[in-house]
Amino acid sequence: MNNVISPQEKHLDIGFKMNIREWTPQSTATQTPFLLIHGLSSNARTWDGVARELAQAGHHVIAIDQRGHGRSEKLPVTAGYDFDTITTDIVNLIKVLGWEKPLIAGQSWGGNVVLAFGAKHPGIAKGLIFVDGGFFDVKKRAPVWEEAYEMFKPPHLEGVPRVQMQERMRQFQPEWSDEGIEATLNNFETRPDGTIKPWLSLDRHMSIFRAMWEQDPPSLYPQVQEPVLIFPAGNAQEDEKRHMVQQAQSNIPDVTVHWFDHTAHDIHVHRPVQLAQRMLNWQRDKNL
């Protein structure tokens, strides 16, 4: 097993200041790098447990705070939070890093970002990984935008004491590690008075969600050239999710699916070691 240094956190200029967390093993000469992309209103630290496992296996790993999230620059809504803009951010990041053919994983909305990336920018990645995302067809669940807006608008959490939010998380997800709880709390800025404020503002959040609502994943599946690994969370007997996953499985040219039963939507936080090992096994099996 490689000795892995602690993650370094820094900003890279990719047209704006993007915050990244980077794990660099002693030698990455023969291993494909991993780029890890969080979900809506989440942050790079939620990938820490997965990234550590990947780095211990010898991979160079970077997790990012997407525009408007975490400690990345808070660009105005007019700068664009649509899929074309977000996927261009990833292209620019890969260029700045000087990487060739990374494996790119995204969770939830991040999975739909990775899907859009694969369809729009073929040939840049070596493989794509959807972690309980990438197959979400939101408009089918809420076909009218005004209804979708009210249904999926995030709760108002600004001003909640951090310790209270921490306790809520522990009650809601009792199986999560202390590291996972702390990482998820970093979805919020902690203010001097001990209360929290989401890093992602409501207008940016809903701009992203509008783009996700308008996205048509089934039309993108046939355009994806790279091998795809899908990790749905929950029970394969859930009709709505099973149907969406089956549609992706039937239309993506090269796809592997592994269900994580009895697992939270945030698989990367709930079961980071198991998720990383499945990712590594697939990477080795596919010789990626």
Side-chain angles (χ1 to χ4, degrees), residues 115-132:
L115 168 64
F117 178 89
K120 185 175 178 60
H121 301 284
I124 294 178
K126 187 172 284 188
L128 308 172
I129 302 170
F130 305 163
V131 180
D132 211 34

Side-chain angles (χ1 to χ4, degrees), residues 82-147:
D82 55 280
F83 283 105
D84 282 353
T85 304
I86 295 289
T87 56
T88 299
D89 290 345
I90 299 171
V91 173
N92 292 338
L93 173 64
I94 292 170
K95 288 178 180 177
V96 169
L97 293 171
W99 280 4
E100 292 186 8
K101 298 282 189 176
L103 291 164
I104 306 178
Q107 188 266 340
S108 191
W109 163 62
N112 286 62
V113 170
V114 174
L115 168 64
F117 178 89
K120 185 175 178 60
H121 301 284
I124 294 178
K126 187 172 284 188
L128 308 172
I129 302 170
F130 305 163
V131 180
D132 211 34
F135 50 81
F136 288 134
D137 193 348
V138 182
K139 190 175 284 190
K140 282 192 173 181
R141 185 172 177 188
V144 178
W145 167 244
E146 290 75 15
E147 294 176 1

Side-chain angles (χ1 to χ4, degrees), residues 167-184:
E167 184 57 30
R168 285 187 196 176
M169 289 182 181
R170 290 191 187 282
Q171 291 177 359
F172 189 63
Q173 299 291 357
E175 294 186 1
W176 287 15
S177 67
D178 290 344
E179 179 184 52
I181 295 290
E182 186 64 27
T184 306

Side-chain angles (χ1 to χ4, degrees), residues 32-83:
T32 304
F34 278 87
L35 178 61
L36 308 179
I37 300 174
H38 62 71
L40 181 55
S41 289
S42 189
N43 80 100
R45 284 191 61 178
T46 57
W47 284 104
D48 279 7
V50 173
R52 183 168 53 248
E53 295 295 318
L54 299 176
Q56 286 175 343
H59 296 268
H60 189 185
V61 184
I62 286 178
I64 66 172
D65 283 333
Q66 298 200 72
R67 60 170 56 203
H69 291 77
R71 289 167 175 79
S72 286
E73 190 173 347
K74 307 301 182 285
L75 299 169
V77 171
T78 53
Y81 284 81
D82 55 280
F83 283 105

